Amino acid sequence: RVWTGGGVVEKKTPSEFLKAVIGKPVVVRLHSGTEYRGVLACLDGYMNIAVENTEEYVAGELKNSFGDAFIRGNNVLYISAASTHK
């Protein structure tokens, strides 16, 4: 466990983190800077991912909405858990 000043946070490996966020809201940032926000449906060992209820943001501006999006892993810069409050 790690104390962050705001509370105690469990340390997780990247694999544990990804398993924990399946079925939860995530932000996927690509190397191009484009972000996809939605619910992580699944991913494979190459970081190819499927996202449901997806919104595409370019330069912070909503550009498109998709039901499902499939993103090739070599384009992914990072995946983070989405904030639950705005």
Side-chain angles (χ1 to χ4, degrees), residues 12-77:
K12 292 183 180 179
T13 66
S15 179
E16 290 170 335
F17 166 76
L18 291 169
K19 287 177 186 174
V21 295
I22 291 176
K24 297 188 175 142
V26 295
V27 175
V28 179
R29 186 169 183 107
L30 306 186
H31 292 288
S32 67
T34 301
E35 285 187 354
Y36 291 92
R37 300 177 190 176
V39 176
L40 181 62
C42 61
L43 70 151
D44 66 14
Y46 296 101
M47 291 291 290
N48 296 315
I49 63 173
V51 183
E52 300 172 335
N53 303 321
T54 310
E55 295 177 329
E56 178 185 48
Y57 289 83
V58 177
E61 183 179 333
L62 178 62
K63 292 293 184 178
N64 290 300
S65 293
F66 308 101
D68 295 328
F70 298 93
I71 303 170
R72 189 171 172 180
N74 67 335
N75 294 312
V76 176
L77 180 62

